[in-house]
Amino acid sequence: MAMKVLVTGGAGYIGSHTVLQLLLGGFEAVVIDNLDNSSEVAVKRVVELAGEFGGNLSFHKIDLRDKEALERVFASTKFDAVIHFAGLKAVGESVMKPLLYYDNNLVGTINLLEVMGSNGCKNLVFSSSATVYGWPKEVPCTEESPLRALNPYGRTKLFIEEICHDISVSDSSWNIILLRYFNPVGAHPSGFIGEDPRGIPNNLMPYIQQIAVGRRPSLTVFGNDYSTKDGTGVRDYIHVVDLADGHIAALKKLFDGSKIGCDVYNLGTGKGTSVLEMVEAFEKASGKKIPLVFAGRRPGDAGIVYASTEKADKELNWKAKYGIDEMCRDQWNWASSNPWGYESPDSPK
Ligand code: NAD
Ligand code: UFG
């Protein structure tokens, strides 16, 4: 019998890529998403890409804060594990609307954990973030590095990590893996699914991709006075398909019978790339010029962030395979064939 996995936020960017890898890996996936920052078209495309496995996916439009709806999903299916992606993720918006973030991310997660517990499903993989390292004093960031959230979004990740530790202490039958993602970019090599943020993108690669397809004029480079090779910020970009595979590795660990309690892993490549290096790689992949405007540092930005990936390599047997050239190639492949993402240019965003 195929393992059944509930995927919250499975219509979103990382979720849709992970659901595809789950289906191709022989899992059954049930996706719940309120489509706040995503489109059901992504779910339909995942079904198509999965071919003969597409029938193993079902979708429910549900908000995690609707506990009764969650109960109904758990009453209809016995899940072996949950992968929990659903959440709001825009740092700037979280500063403006902290209660929205605490309500959506924390209340949604507490509901999920309660319903999981009462239905005897105690295997969880949770999307945490490198944001919990704040401005790291030392790189690479190891899982033992000091934690410091700098904004309400980051605090929701830190609080959920703590909640997960607490429930694993209170009840030893929980097995929880917290995955701290570094900077997910790129798209499925088919160009059929990818990132489709609503409104003006906050993050570097979605912004660059919209310039390349003519939707925006230029990239504002936030700061060129960091102590880095060219003065611009350095990050650990990771191909979204590698990241998706990291979730399959985490599930395998949950199912291998070892006692986990609550454990945490970085998912990154271990390599730092500057903004200008990323722009150059994207220009090479797309053949498009990205006009730059240099500006001051973005408030709250760290200079250099990249991961130590040893723990995931050793204990999950997982390592990122792709480099920035493949990330940019696939980002461009997705953007050029879907310049308006999943919608048409006229649909409201
Ligand atoms: P995304 O916005 O594309 O996906 C999140 C999905 O969750 C969306 O489809 C959204 O509609 C859904 N959602 C939000 N609140 C919900 C609710 N209350 N009930 C049901 N569905 C809800 O974002 P993503 O980039 O795929 O990120 C997935 C997870 O990974 C998030 O938790 C995010 O914080 C975390 N993360 C993302 C990044 C990144 O840079 N993309 C980095 C680190 C961590
Ligand atoms: N940058 C620009 N111009 C832009 C956007 C970004 O110069 O228009 C620069 C930033 O200053 C930074 C780099 O590009 O040096 C990457 O910025 P992103 O916004 O793409 O990514 P961040 O590392 O700042 O943050 C993202 C998420 C966080 C998450 C973190 C790690 O927004 O929530 O990745 O996963 F915690």
Side-chain angles (χ1 to χ4, degrees):
M1 275 265 285
M3 295 278 199
K4 291 189 177 60
V5 182
L6 177 72
V7 185
T8 77
Y13 172 46
I14 307 169
S16 54
H17 289 80
T18 304
V19 170
L20 177 60
Q21 299 307 94
L22 280 173
L23 296 174
L24 297 177
F27 292 89
E28 267 180 43
V30 174
V31 168
I32 58 178
D33 199 302
N34 63 4
L35 301 181
D36 235 39
N37 194 38
S38 51
S39 161
E40 201 174 339
V41 178
V43 179
K44 293 189 174 131
R45 291 196 181 181
V46 167
V47 169
E48 270 186 65
L49 280 173
E52 57 177 309
F53 299 107
N56 291 335
L57 169 59
S58 55
F59 173 69
H60 303 275
K61 184 171 187 277
I62 283 177
D63 192 301
L64 280 185
R65 288 164 296 180
D66 180 351
K67 203 170 171 189
E68 284 174 12
L70 264 184
E71 291 279 11
R72 284 195 292 275
V73 174
F74 276 81
S76 67
T77 309
K78 188 162 170 37
F79 295 107
D80 296 289
V82 174
I83 306 182
H84 177 30
F85 292 105
L88 296 173
K89 62 164 186 177
V91 171
E93 186 187 50
S94 81
V95 174
M96 303 310 292
K97 300 177 182 170
L99 290 179
L100 172 68
Y101 273 66
Y102 291 127
D103 180 43
N104 191 78
N105 294 5
L106 293 183
V107 174
T109 301
I110 290 168
N111 278 346
L112 176 70
L113 293 169
E114 282 176 349
V115 175
M116 285 177 69
S118 61
N119 284 277
C121 172
K122 297 183 181 174
N123 290 324
L124 173 71
V125 178
F126 171 64
S127 302
S128 188
S129 166
T131 195
V132 298
Y133 295 118
W135 296 296
K137 284 210 177 70
E138 282 177 20
V139 281
C141 301
T142 74
E143 288 79 356
E144 307 305 317
S145 295
L147 303 181
R148 187 172 162 227
L150 302 173
N151 49 64
Y153 165 69
R155 273 184 279 283
T156 68
K157 293 296 177 195
L158 214 45
F159 293 159
I160 294 170
E161 287 201 3
E162 299 279 357
I163 291 169
C164 288
H165 278 289
D166 289 341
I167 59 172
S168 74
V169 169
S170 74
D171 173 352
S172 62
S173 55
W174 280 91
N175 280 312
I176 303 177
I177 293 186
L178 311 170
L179 297 177
R180 293 183 184 147
Y181 315 150
F182 281 68
N183 290 57
V185 299
H188 190 264
S190 63
F192 215 45
I193 54 172
E195 186 169 15
D196 181 22
R198 309 218 153 190
I200 302 170
N202 298 295
N203 299 115
L204 181 66
M205 289 311 280
Y207 207 100
I208 291 181
Q209 118 185 3
Q210 292 194 1
I211 296 166
V213 298
R215 287 171 62 179
R216 302 192 185 277
S218 57
L219 174 73
T220 305
V221 177
F222 297 132
N224 58 354
D225 57 349
Y226 288 107
S227 317
T228 61
K229 39 201 147 183
D230 56 27
T232 64
V234 165
R235 294 291 184 275
D236 186 339
Y237 297 95
I238 172 168
H239 196 296
V240 67
V241 174
D242 273 332
L243 193 63
D245 286 337
H247 292 75
I248 311 298
L251 276 185
K252 287 190 175 144
K253 174 93 180 163
L254 284 182
F255 295 146
D256 78 2
S258 42
K259 187 72 218 105
I260 293 168
C262 179
D263 210 347
V264 57
Y265 296 92
N266 287 339
L267 295 186
T269 63
K271 294 190 187 75
T273 304
S274 74
V275 174
L276 296 184
E277 286 172 328
M278 213 54 190
V279 168
E280 195 186 327
F282 188 86
E283 287 184 336
K284 198 171 92 191
S286 64
K288 300 278 177 187
K289 186 84 199 135
I290 304 297
L292 304 179
V293 175
F294 288 90
R297 297 179 179 192
R298 185 169 61 175
D301 263 1
I304 307 183
V305 186
Y306 61 89
S308 158
T309 57
E310 266 172 51
K311 190 176 173 196
D313 185 8
K314 221 186 268 167
E315 297 181 18
L316 299 181
N317 199 19
W318 171 90
K319 222 188 209 163
K321 293 194 282 285
Y322 299 113
I324 59 167
D325 290 336
E326 287 109 341
M327 298 177 209
C328 291
R329 176 199 67 198
D330 294 338
Q331 185 102 27
W332 175 239
N333 189 26
W334 153 252
S336 54
S337 41
N338 302 270
W340 294 89
Y342 292 113
E343 316 293 339
S344 73
D346 314 317
S347 35
K349 280 250 169 179

